[in-house]
Amino acid sequence: IDQLVEEGALHPNCGKIFRISIGDKRTQPIRLFQHQQEALSKAAADESYIVTTGTGSGKSLTFFIPIVDRILREKALDGASRTRAIIIYPMNALANSQLEEVRKFLDNLGADQRMLTVERYTGQEDTSVRQRIAANPPDILLTNFMMLELILTRYEEVDRQVVSNCAGLKFLVLDELHTYR
């Protein structure tokens, strides 16, 4: 990660975000596997891509790193508040665990962690949370395929606003594609 930041291939804050703990409050930059580097290259070229790899191989980073990089770059030019990426999971358990993982990375920003926002919108949220998300669109929205279908087809004002906040969407990720029916 640090090398890609140094080369200008990643936004400087990616070097702060994508680090792992090595104990005693120390961190080190993530070292990327080949499939992760190839995904970054595809994303940088604005190409769609599919990643097929085993469990625990860092698949999520193949989309989170390019998403975070793009959002940070775009917000530096256009600070408009809108949802720039939607990540769709087949079930809430995956959305919940990924939200925790992403927030761990964002914690590396310390006081600056609000420079990039991530929210879950899966049907587990109460009305006040849904309204907050509609009024303050997160940069990244984690959802499931059932909820995405609902917000695209029902006419509740809060859902209409969530959809409107996605104008100019840059990333649409289908995680665990093989599990969808």
Side-chain angles (χ1 to χ4, degrees), residues 76-151:
L77 300 173
D78 166 22
S81 183
R82 61 188 168 88
T83 299
R84 299 165 193 263
I86 297 175
I87 303 173
I88 306 163
Y89 296 95
M91 60 187 78
N92 288 347
L94 287 171
N96 295 341
S97 68
Q98 285 299 298
L99 180 62
E100 287 179 32
E101 288 303 309
V102 171
R103 286 188 173 158
K104 284 179 194 175
F105 283 121
L106 294 179
D107 284 347
N108 289 330
L109 288 171
D112 294 330
Q113 64 185 290
R114 291 300 296 168
M115 75 172 57
L116 195 141
T117 57
V118 181
E119 293 284 354
R120 182 191 64 207
Y121 199 88
T122 61
Q124 300 172 91
E125 301 74 30
D126 64 27
T127 301
S128 65
V129 171
R130 291 173 55 222
Q131 290 171 337
R132 179 179 50 78
I133 291 170
N136 301 296
D139 297 306
I140 303 171
L141 186 69
L142 308 181
T143 191
N144 60 54
F145 67 98
M146 296 291 285
M147 180 54 79
L148 183 60
E149 180 180 13
L150 281 174
I151 65 174

Side-chain angles (χ1 to χ4, degrees), residues 29-79:
I30 292 174
R31 294 185 52 123
L32 299 177
F33 294 110
Q34 182 175 346
H35 66 281
Q36 294 165 326
Q37 291 175 344
E38 289 172 2
L40 285 174
S41 295
K42 293 277 189 191
D46 283 331
E47 295 179 22
S48 296
Y49 56 96
I50 295 172
V51 176
T52 56
T53 185
T55 301
S57 63
K59 177 179 45 76
S60 297
L61 291 176
T62 66
F63 54 85
F64 274 120
I65 294 172
I67 287 171
V68 168
D69 176 62
R70 177 76 59 91
I71 290 169
L72 293 172
R73 290 177 189 273
E74 286 183 358
K75 287 179 82 169
L77 300 173
D78 166 22

